[in-house]
Amino acid sequence: MEKWSLMTITVLLALTVRWTVSLGSYSGAGKPPMYGDYEAQRHWQEVTYNLPIRQWYFNTSDNNLLYWGLDYPPLTAYHSFLCAYVAKLINPDWIALHTSRGYESQSHKLFMRTTVFVADLLIYIPAVILYCCSLKETSTKKKVSSALCILLYPGLILIDHGHFQYNSVSLGFALWGVLCLSYDWDLLGSAAFCLALNYKQMELYHSLPFFCYLLGKCFKKGLKGKGLLLLIKLAGTVVASFAVCWLPFCTDVEQIMQDKVANIWCSLSVLIKIKNVVSPQTQLKLSFAVTFLSLLPTCIKLTVQPSLRGFKLTLVSCALSFFLFSFQVHEKSILLVSVPVCLIINEVPFMATWFLLVSTFSMLPLLLKDGLLLPYAVTTLAFLSACVASFAIFEKTSAKDLQLKPFSQSLRGYVSWFKLFPKIVRSLFLLSVTLMGVLSVMSAAVHPPQRFPDLFPVSVSSISCLHFLFFLVYFNVIILWDSKNSRNQKKVS
Amino acid sequence: MCGLSAGARNGGRRLELELVPRPGARRLLPQVPPHPHVTFCSHSTDFEVHRNWLAITHNLPLSQWYYEATSEWTLDYPPFFAWFEYALSHIAKYFDPKMLVIENLNYTSPATIFFQRFSVIFTDLLFIYAVRECCRCVNGKRAAKDILEKPTFILAVLLMWNFGLLIVDHIHFQYNGFLFGLMLLSVARLCQKRYLEGALLFAVLLHFKHIYVYVAPAYGIYLLRSYCFTASNADGSAKWRSFSFLRITLLGLIVCLVSALSLGPFIVLGQLPQVISRLFPFKRGLCHAYWAPNFWALYSAVDKALTVIGLKYNFLDPTKIPKASMTGGLVQEFQHTVLPSVTPLATLICTFISILPSVFCLWFKPQGPRGFLQCLVLCALSSFMFGWHVHEKAILLAILPLSLLSVQRAKDAGIYLILTTTGHFSLFPLLFTAPELPIKILLMLLFSVYSFSSLKSLYRREKPLLNWLETIYLIHLVPLEIFCEIVFPLTPWKLRFPFVPLLLTSVYCAVGIMYAWLKLYISVLSERTSARQKAE
């Protein structure tokens, strides 16, 4: 079969899954007074359509910021405005100022779901398809199966089309950025990334690798000649794109934990009540220091040796560091790590699949709250079977397949059990999948004991956190030892 | 390999689960009915039909099954299906006992819906097994390196991702999956020359759902010709001396035993006439509420057109025209105004005549399993074309067996593409709510893109599967769909002529299905003469 028909089938399959998930419940359905993200998005449409642009971000008599105030950068606001315009054409009640608060109906749900669907179809999906087509040294089949696995990633589908958010827009723009960089269109790439940043400030997780990669590229060209020119151009692009869509916004320092998030602070709080030990200011400094330290090695490496492969891997490790160590993290932020992981799914299929499964699992408490258990179970199983079928992940667990060859070579003198390595990795994977499965079933079916009402959410987040730490170490090892390897190769040649 | 596609199918099947609202899904607004499913996804009448049957078989003794009439959806399937519902009801009581109360009309609860949906998915396992068996029968002479281009793989996907079966079973709600599983399994057994098993399976199937009686002639003749006659003459005609009385006795015994098991209790109770009258309700109209795209749809459309023309030019007296509209939405008797009205007997005769040539062909020039399958498809299609009160869903009876032929010969593949695309398109009105619109279009595209591209790659070396006329016809389904679903509802005619989209869909599809039927018939009949020439 031809490539285009396989790709078409992949896209259709992805769209079908998205739409079926969207038939389910959404966050805060029928839960006054605050409802959930669905109401937040609807409220933003109401605000942006009815109020002048200057009042969008300010507390006025018509705009109560305590009720889902607009707390995303301007591009989100423009998107809401656009949606509101369409909504007005269909049914003005949906966005009527004040009176539409908490509006819910089947046709409105259909409309909201369609807006997410369209945004996904226009921005995220084309980026994924083009990215997979641009993969080098891979067969058509591998390209198609990468596209299938990336598009079927349950986390993003469940959050966007189930829970209700527009992550696919910002992540899609970031993907466009990566795509352009891989074609050496640096200016276009940085512009695309600026759009992503201006859609959601959370994209800052990805900013360091972008910055380091482009900076490294400039260094490589020589900072006096072409490199400087490129740097100036890049800076100009960034400033210009920000100027186009920027409006001031500010966020208050919120509590360190919004919910039971699978990051290190939350897991530690099981043992020590951090809140009681240190003040919020110290927490902020502490988390900043730890994040910075964990980022440093990979970022330096990327600046010194800018390569596309290194760039993708650094995207993963940086976002993961941010997610694990930074202040005030949402569990949905794991998507910012997952999408870069999707990009390397054809290089380290086993680890990528594992990570993507864990990341979906880490959002389980949220999904349960939204009543998305069934879509969660179904899409996760479908994703797992798609990955197993298209990458044969269980046969790719040797040190070489996991890109750990250089690392194992450097350790050979000390450790002798490397022969058993593939088996150990495989059984660890099976163990972790079983554990996740059991916990999912228990969270869904068993009532927690009265003494520990948060038993399941806490154990879900601790287990996910352990996994993420393990993955952080793994990705850092690949990145750092990869450079050594290439140096060795250079020496040999 | 089949396992892989089975997994893929499971993926597809699982998706349908999303249509089921989760337990605990909140009521949205006070004024909407208490169940999201009711509002969000179309709640087909078949859902209530099967709930009612669960209740009937669970609560009443056998003697009351075919008399109970609290709900308008009385039990009108043969006894085995009733027993099947009886068995299901004993699991259902653990989910929600209230669904088993006969008076609880239109009862839906999350647990009920979950149970009903899941029972369909679970019984589908039989279908998956049958597909696996069918794939084994397809000769894999064409040794393709790529698994995606192997005929067996393509067949597995074509059967398991069949758009019609997916939407009819898992969205609209019926139990066709395991019934077609039984049919395909019996076909596979016949192909494997395990005739008695095949006959047994088909006999059982007939007592599950009697619509399969349409293809019974193919089974009867094939078994008689290929099993009861153990040898043939050189020119292919039957050798009368080789007739085996033992074999025909065995076959008869099987059929009689199965029938006795199914109908026996009712004969003892003296209820056979009542059962028969429930199974064959000829009081219903010639066409279903939505015209199935068959010959009678064309006939009625011509009649309507003539009426309109006649009224315009005053050939007809307006006072004499009955006011009943055929697509009024309810099943009702209908009088044609210009053309003669059609009686059940007339449709029976038409069906009989149209089936006859294919059966003769099977008898005089048996070509093994291939000939049998062709005859089976022709029987199903002929009865679809001319049957009384045919449902649009009955087209699956022809599409699924034709899949088996399509991966073996380019000519059949072309016919298959026309028949599936139009046949599946004609199922669109089954799902009519707005949230289902993207699903049906996406699934339809998914299946169509796959079937076209995979069959095209399978017959890469042969001439194109479709000629220009067929291509144009199929492409025009797209504007038709856009007109019916998007443009028409925005026009002022929507209120005055609400039936226009249905009428257009059914007439347009009827043309395609008629064409595919004729083309298949011609190909089968001409093949017979060419084969005979070869023999000479």
Side-chain angles (χ1 to χ4, degrees):
Chain A
M1 280 166 74
E2 290 137 34
K3 189 176 163 190
W4 72 264
S5 58
L6 286 173
M7 274 296 184
T8 316
I9 289 168
T10 304
V11 171
L12 287 171
L13 208 56
L15 291 177
T16 314
V17 175
R18 278 161 170 72
W19 190 260
T20 25
V21 168
S22 82
L23 293 183
S25 163
Y26 50 84
S27 80
K31 287 179 194 163
M34 281 304 270
Y35 304 93
D37 277 331
Y38 176 89
E39 167 64 9
Q41 299 286 350
R42 194 211 55 73
H43 180 65
W44 294 346
Q45 290 178 11
E46 172 196 334
V47 167
T48 50
Y49 189 84
N50 292 300
L51 300 183
I53 198 164
R54 285 182 191 166
Q55 290 182 23
W56 285 0
Y57 288 94
F58 292 97
N59 211 2
T60 63
S61 57
D62 286 332
N63 188 12
N64 177 9
L65 286 190
L66 288 178
Y67 183 79
W68 299 116
L70 190 49
D71 57 0
Y72 280 137
L75 217 55
T76 300
Y78 300 145
H79 184 202
S80 293
F81 181 70
L82 193 72
C83 294
Y85 203 82
V86 180
K88 176 87 177 174
L89 290 177
I90 303 173
N91 185 350
D93 289 349
W94 292 347
I95 51 155
L97 194 61
H98 301 308
T99 54
S100 67
R101 193 169 279 196
Y103 190 97
E104 284 177 308
S105 77
Q106 289 302 330
S107 49
H108 184 244
K109 180 183 172 189
L110 188 62
F111 164 73
M112 295 293 270
R113 295 297 201 191
T114 314
T115 60
V116 182
F117 190 77
V118 169
D120 204 348
L121 182 64
L122 291 183
I123 297 172
Y124 183 73
I125 292 178
V128 170
I129 296 300
L130 287 180
Y131 172 79
C132 290
C133 290
S134 77
L135 288 174
K136 281 154 202 145
E137 296 159 21
T138 36
S139 63
T140 305
K141 236 179 171 180
K142 270 273 130 52
K143 286 177 186 171
V144 173
S145 43
S146 314
L148 180 71
C149 292
I150 296 177
L151 289 178
L152 283 187
Y153 168 59
L156 187 60
I157 298 177
L158 291 171
I159 293 298
D160 272 18
H161 300 264
H163 175 83
F164 203 89
Q165 277 195 338
Y166 295 94
N167 291 300
S168 50
V169 179
S170 56
L171 293 172
F173 279 131
L175 256 180
W176 279 105
V178 176
L179 191 65
C180 292
L181 291 194
S182 69
Y183 280 111
D184 274 333
W185 302 332
D186 295 336
L187 297 182
L188 219 56
S190 49
F193 183 68
C194 286
L195 288 180
L197 258 178
N198 277 309
Y199 197 89
K200 272 197 175 178
Q201 65 271 41
M202 237 69 93
E203 281 293 327
L204 280 170
Y205 282 21
H206 294 149
S207 57
L208 263 180
F210 268 92
F211 177 73
C212 294
Y213 176 70
L214 290 172
L215 191 68
K217 236 177 162 179
C218 294
F219 281 143
K220 222 177 173 181
K221 290 189 175 176
L223 252 192
K224 282 178 185 166
K226 278 183 183 169
L228 189 63
L229 193 68
L230 181 61
L231 193 62
I232 292 169
K233 274 189 191 166
L234 284 172
T237 317
V238 171
V239 170
S241 14
F242 266 79
V244 167
C245 46
W246 214 77
L247 271 174
F249 74 96
C250 55
T251 48
D252 299 309
V253 175
E254 289 178 36
Q255 295 249 302
I256 192 159
M257 281 160 291
Q258 288 207 329
D259 229 319
K260 302 280 180 268
V261 183
N263 81 353
I264 194 82
W265 307 120
C266 182
S267 305
L268 271 182
S269 75
V270 178
L271 304 174
I272 327 157
K273 293 286 173 209
I274 300 179
K275 272 184 204 169
N276 306 338
V277 180
V278 281
S279 68
Q281 283 304 311
T282 334
Q283 284 175 40
L284 190 65
K285 282 175 191 162
L286 183 73
S287 68
F288 180 76
V290 178
T291 315
F292 186 71
L293 280 179
S294 63
L295 290 173
L296 209 56
T298 51
C299 284
I300 291 175
K301 200 238 104 201
L302 182 64
T303 320
V304 176
Q305 292 181 317
S307 71
L308 205 60
R309 205 181 103 84
F311 169 57
K312 287 185 225 162
L313 287 168
T314 315
L315 273 178
V316 175
S317 75
C318 277
L320 194 52
S321 304
F322 269 117
F323 177 80
L324 280 173
F325 301 116
S326 70
F327 199 67
Q328 194 217 322
V329 173
H330 233 275
E331 63 267 71
K332 283 165 268 175
S333 306
I334 194 64
L335 293 180
L336 290 155
V337 193
S338 304
V339 168
V341 171
C342 285
L343 298 183
I344 52 168
I345 198 166
N346 70 319
E347 288 182 46
V348 277
F350 179 78
M351 279 304 203
T353 309
W354 193 356
F355 179 88
L356 293 173
L357 285 175
V358 176
S359 67
T360 312
F361 169 73
S362 76
M363 293 185 285
L364 179 66
L366 177 78
L367 299 173
L368 277 180
K369 214 194 295 172
D370 296 342
L372 292 169
L373 175 67
L374 207 55
Y376 161 77
V378 173
T379 50
T380 310
L381 287 175
F383 173 72
L384 181 61
S385 41
C387 286
V388 172
S390 50
F391 289 110
I393 54 170
F394 291 115
E395 284 135 42
K396 293 188 178 164
T397 52
S398 69
K400 194 185 164 208
D401 287 320
L402 298 184
Q403 318 247 343
L404 286 171
K405 199 88 186 170
F407 179 64
S408 66
Q409 273 168 356
S410 64
L411 283 189
R412 183 134 300 170
Y414 313 102
V415 190
S416 57
W417 45 264
F418 261 98
K419 273 184 189 166
L420 284 172
F421 185 77
K423 260 190 185 170
I424 294 174
V425 173
R426 217 174 302 156
S427 40
L428 273 179
F429 175 79
L430 288 178
L431 185 71
S432 118
V433 168
T434 323
L435 193 62
M436 291 193 286
V438 168
L439 253 180
S440 303
V441 170
M442 283 176 62
S443 322
V446 181
H447 285 286
Q450 289 213 324
R451 281 176 58 207
F452 312 104
D454 283 342
L455 178 68
F456 293 126
V458 168
S459 40
V460 166
S461 66
S462 325
I463 287 173
S464 315
C465 178
L466 280 179
H467 277 96
F468 292 147
L469 278 175
F470 161 71
F471 284 115
L472 184 67
V473 172
Y474 167 76
F475 284 117
N476 272 296
V477 164
I478 306 189
I479 296 169
L480 299 175
W481 262 265
D482 188 42
S483 62
K484 228 179 194 174
N485 183 37
S486 56
R487 263 180 226 155
N488 288 345
Q489 280 178 345
K490 270 176 200 166
K491 273 178 197 168
V492 171
S493 62
Chain B
M1 186 204 66
C2 286
L4 190 148
S5 44
R9 173 193 179 82
N10 280 342
R13 295 274 139 150
R14 280 188 215 115
L15 298 181
E16 264 67 57
L17 271 173
E18 262 83 69
L19 299 173
V20 187
R22 261 70 39 207
R26 300 296 156 110
R27 192 180 296 203
L28 294 178
L29 281 176
Q31 71 264 30
V32 299
H35 205 271
H37 186 91
V38 181
T39 55
F40 206 80
C41 295
S42 82
H43 187 107
S44 74
T45 47
D46 278 311
F47 215 87
E48 168 63 10
V49 169
H50 286 94
R51 188 211 58 77
N52 185 40
W53 293 355
L54 279 177
I56 291 177
T57 50
H58 189 77
N59 294 313
L60 298 178
L62 190 67
S63 54
Q64 291 294 309
W65 284 1
Y66 285 91
Y67 280 96
E68 159 55 44
T70 308
S71 161
E72 61 175 315
W73 311 114
T74 52
L75 185 56
D76 58 4
Y77 273 24
F80 275 178
F81 200 87
W83 285 111
F84 169 71
E85 294 277 4
Y86 176 77
L88 275 185
S89 73
H90 281 278
I91 309 167
K93 66 185 174 195
Y94 296 109
F95 282 78
D96 186 357
K98 281 188 200 146
M99 76 170 113
L100 297 176
V101 178
I102 297 176
E103 288 74 27
N104 254 349
L105 296 185
N106 290 316
Y107 178 77
T108 47
S109 69
T112 308
I113 292 172
F114 183 82
F115 169 75
Q116 299 256 66
R117 294 280 186 203
F118 195 75
S119 65
V120 178
I121 293 176
F122 183 75
T123 50
D124 249 14
L125 290 177
L126 182 66
F127 181 75
I128 294 175
Y129 174 70
V131 170
R132 189 168 148 265
E133 291 299 305
C134 281
C135 287
R136 283 185 175 177
C137 299
V138 173
N139 49 350
K141 277 178 206 163
R142 222 182 292 261
K145 276 180 199 166
D146 193 355
I147 186 177
L148 291 179
E149 297 190 358
K150 280 188 181 168
T152 42
F153 179 82
I154 293 174
L155 176 63
V157 179
L158 287 182
L159 286 174
M160 296 210 275
W161 283 85
N162 185 284
F163 167 77
L165 200 55
L166 272 178
I167 68 161
V168 170
D169 267 22
H170 298 266
I171 301 180
H172 178 78
F173 194 82
Q174 274 194 347
Y175 288 96
N176 291 302
F178 88 95
L179 297 172
F180 276 115
L182 278 176
M183 184 175 108
L184 289 180
L185 200 58
S186 75
V187 168
R189 291 294 178 246
L190 291 188
C191 292
Q192 293 161 349
K193 302 210 184 301
R194 289 153 75 171
Y195 295 103
L196 288 178
E197 248 176 281
L200 174 70
L201 284 168
F202 185 69
V204 170
L205 176 64
L206 267 183
H207 288 278
F208 264 109
K209 191 170 176 177
H210 49 303
I211 193 174
Y212 292 93
V213 81
Y214 284 145
V215 296
Y219 273 89
I221 299 296
Y222 181 67
L223 283 171
L224 196 63
R225 180 68 185 79
S226 301
Y227 179 65
C228 298
F229 288 94
T230 49
S232 297
N233 291 323
D235 64 344
S237 59
K239 215 178 228 173
W240 290 98
R241 277 186 199 164
S242 68
F243 188 73
S244 158
F245 277 102
L246 176 68
R247 291 188 166 188
I248 200 162
T249 322
L250 276 174
L251 280 180
L253 213 59
I254 285 176
V255 174
C256 290
L257 270 179
V258 171
S259 306
L261 211 59
S262 158
L263 297 172
F266 297 96
I267 296 173
V268 172
L269 290 167
Q271 295 180 348
L272 196 61
Q274 169 68 12
V275 174
I276 299 290
S277 73
R278 280 280 173 91
L279 294 191
F280 299 98
F282 274 104
K283 278 173 198 149
R284 294 179 185 176
L286 170 66
C287 293
H288 192 52
Y290 157 64
W291 299 354
N294 61 6
F295 179 78
W296 304 122
L298 290 177
Y299 185 84
S300 310
V302 168
D303 179 68
K304 272 224 157 172
L306 287 178
T307 314
V308 172
I309 293 171
L311 283 176
K312 200 170 184 187
Y313 295 102
N314 296 323
F315 295 136
L316 292 173
D317 183 6
T319 51
K320 282 184 185 167
I321 290 176
K323 291 213 169 162
S325 152
M326 226 185 163
T327 35
L330 282 171
V331 181
Q332 51 187 229
E333 296 206 40
F334 175 75
Q335 299 281 312
H336 288 97
T337 40
V338 182
L339 300 174
S341 279
V342 183
T343 60
L345 189 68
T347 63
L348 206 64
I349 292 168
C350 284
T351 315
F352 184 72
I353 291 173
S354 61
I355 284 179
L356 222 50
S358 67
V359 173
F360 271 120
C361 190
L362 184 64
W363 177 265
F364 288 111
K365 191 65 203 173
Q367 295 183 326
R370 253 188 63 84
F372 163 64
L373 269 174
Q374 282 174 338
C375 180
L376 182 80
V377 173
L378 281 174
C379 284
L381 264 181
S382 307
S383 42
F384 179 82
M385 291 314 296
F386 297 103
W388 178 261
H389 193 83
V390 175
H391 280 238
E392 66 278 19
K393 293 162 239 169
I395 193 66
L396 292 178
L397 200 56
I399 288 177
L400 287 171
L402 190 59
S403 318
L404 287 165
L405 290 173
S406 73
V407 295
Q408 299 180 44
R409 215 177 54 162
K411 217 173 178 181
D412 295 329
I415 298 169
Y416 175 76
L417 289 179
I418 302 169
L419 186 71
T420 44
T421 315
T422 44
H424 285 164
F425 185 83
S426 73
L427 295 176
F428 267 20
L430 270 183
L431 309 178
F432 51 85
T433 62
E436 288 167 335
L437 178 69
I439 290 224
K440 70 179 179 189
I441 290 178
L442 285 170
L443 281 175
M444 172 82 179
L445 279 177
L446 198 60
F447 183 79
S448 303
V449 170
Y450 181 80
S451 55
F452 275 82
S453 56
S454 64
L455 289 176
K456 212 175 111 191
S457 71
L458 187 63
Y459 302 110
R460 197 182 289 127
R461 296 194 191 87
E462 291 166 52
K463 60 177 187 179
L465 297 177
L466 299 175
N467 61 34
W468 61 273
L469 191 68
E470 296 160 353
T471 317
I472 287 176
Y473 171 80
L474 290 182
I475 286 175
H476 275 90
L477 287 172
V478 177
L480 179 67
E481 169 67 8
I482 292 172
F483 175 77
C484 291
E485 298 276 1
I486 298 163
V487 178
F488 188 79
L490 298 176
T491 60
W493 301 318
K494 194 199 166 192
L495 295 174
R496 277 186 61 205
F497 309 105
F499 54 87
V500 166
L502 290 181
L503 188 115
L504 278 179
T505 311
S506 121
V507 170
Y508 194 81
C509 291
V511 173
I513 290 175
M514 190 91 170
Y515 174 82
W517 174 64
L518 286 173
K519 195 172 175 184
L520 185 64
Y521 235 128
I522 290 168
S523 107
V524 169
L525 293 178
S526 61
E527 183 184 325
R528 174 177 156 239
T529 51
S530 68
R532 191 169 264 176
Q533 280 162 1
K534 256 184 207 169
E536 283 167 8

